[in-house]
Amino acid sequence: QVQVVESGGGLVQAGGSLRLSCAGSGSICSLNVMGWYRQAPGKQRELVADITRGGTTTYADSVKGRFTISRDNAKNTVYLQMDGLKPGDTAVYYCNCRALPLPRLSGYWGQGTQVTVSS
């Protein structure tokens, strides 16, 4: 049974920073892609960033230059450092791990953590 558990999140003012952490159990998470998605009310879930075991990263255009994804393979943990937060970043953030070649939006999900950015 794969478990994906997020921590972090909360309320922050615009321009502030938050750091999300996610621990994934099992070889699916440790050997494959881990990432972060978000879903705002009334909107579809979207990719924020993901990272392969080898360190190749992909970012949504809206967060490039502000967010940084990283992972610790020994701990099966992925991090999302969010700087320069904007009200538009408000959403529930979900951690994900998936085995290649499955497409994005598939795989295993955490329960989600709320990020709220006030103006």
Side-chain angles (χ1 to χ4, degrees), residues 11-52:
L11 174 64
V12 66
Q13 290 187 331
S17 298
L18 283 174
R19 178 178 168 93
L20 305 182
S21 300
C22 169
S25 67
S27 60
I28 289 179
C29 293
S30 66
L31 297 179
N32 289 279
V33 182
M34 298 185 75
W36 292 94
Y37 294 72
R38 66 187 181 188
Q39 188 166 18
K43 295 187 177 182
Q44 292 185 332
R45 191 171 297 189
E46 62 177 6
L47 173 72
V48 176
D50 63 21
I51 183 168
T52 67

Side-chain angles (χ1 to χ4, degrees), residues 2-7 20-39 45-53 56 58 69-71 73 76-80 92-113:
V2 177
Q3 289 187 318
V4 180
V5 180
E6 303 112 336
S7 60
L20 305 182
S21 300
C22 169
S25 67
S27 60
I28 289 179
C29 293
S30 66
L31 297 179
N32 289 279
V33 182
M34 298 185 75
W36 292 94
Y37 294 72
R38 66 187 181 188
Q39 188 166 18
R45 191 171 297 189
E46 62 177 6
L47 173 72
V48 176
D50 63 21
I51 183 168
T52 67
R53 178 176 176 81
T56 299
T58 300
I69 190 170
S70 61
R71 67 187 286 171
N73 290 329
N76 290 354
T77 300
V78 63
Y79 306 96
L80 185 69
V92 178
Y93 283 69
Y94 296 92
C95 182
N96 169 273
C97 62
R98 63 185 170 92
L100 294 172
L102 292 177
R104 292 189 171 99
L105 292 171
S106 63
Y108 297 89
W109 298 93
Q111 77 282 2
T113 185

